[in-house]
Amino acid sequence: MTPLVERIRTAPPRLGAVRVVAVDGPSGSGKTVFARELAGALRASGSDVAVVPTDDFAIWDEPVQWWPRLVSGVLEPLRRGEPGRYRRVEWPDGEPVPGEWVTVDPPEVLVLEGVSAARRSAAGSLSMVVWVEVPDPALRLERAVARDGESTRPFLRRWQEFERDWFAADGTRSRADVRVHR
């Protein structure tokens, strides 16, 4: 992880003074675990790091349409050197509801983690794109079901179809600076 940490620490900030590292890839590939490990390694190297998961925004019926809330609530304030703020989506009883408010103080490095974090429309603000993938969709599905519960299986199947089409249209994988296979 040390070479990646050094690349990030020396990458130019592109969101005001913030270096944004987008950790993207299909669901069930280990993006959240990787982002947590990366944030820990960056902190150990002396960087101030914030992590914002796209799962705090996405719901089954709006897998990527929430992006303007992230831009206006987090990215634009951070670009100006101001704290960002957003209301996290929570899932009691398997239904999305508005959750707690989250404040994101301007960090040196923002790890933006989750499906569509590295979308083409954000490319100019990203210092680095990390693509995390388990190539086998069946294994990814089983990992996601193990994480989210058996009742989510039909939703996760639809999600996999959506993200396959999203990544193909967006060209996300081809724009990655680093590819991680888990």
Side-chain angles (χ1 to χ4, degrees), residues 34 47 96 132 134 147 156:
F34 180 85
S47 293
V132 179
V134 169
R147 175 193 68 211
L156 287 164

Side-chain angles (χ1 to χ4, degrees), residues 66-105:
W66 47 264
W67 187 259
R69 287 191 307 122
L70 175 72
V71 170
S72 65
V74 178
L75 299 181
E76 287 307 318
L78 293 181
R79 182 184 307 279
R80 296 187 304 266
E82 301 168 0
R85 192 165 188 251
Y86 67 94
R87 195 159 189 187
R88 177 176 35 222
V89 173
E90 295 179 0
W91 295 80
D93 303 319
E95 293 295 322
V97 297
E100 294 181 20
W101 283 94
V102 176
T103 299
V104 182
D105 290 321

Side-chain angles (χ1 to χ4, degrees), residues 26-29 133-144 153 156-157 160-161 163-164:
S27 64
S29 290
E133 180 176 26
V134 169
D136 180 7
L139 177 57
R140 289 195 317 264
L141 176 62
E142 292 311 313
R143 288 174 69 174
R153 185 178 296 275
L156 287 164
R157 281 193 181 121
Q160 278 190 325
E161 291 172 19
E163 68 187 11
R164 183 191 62 236

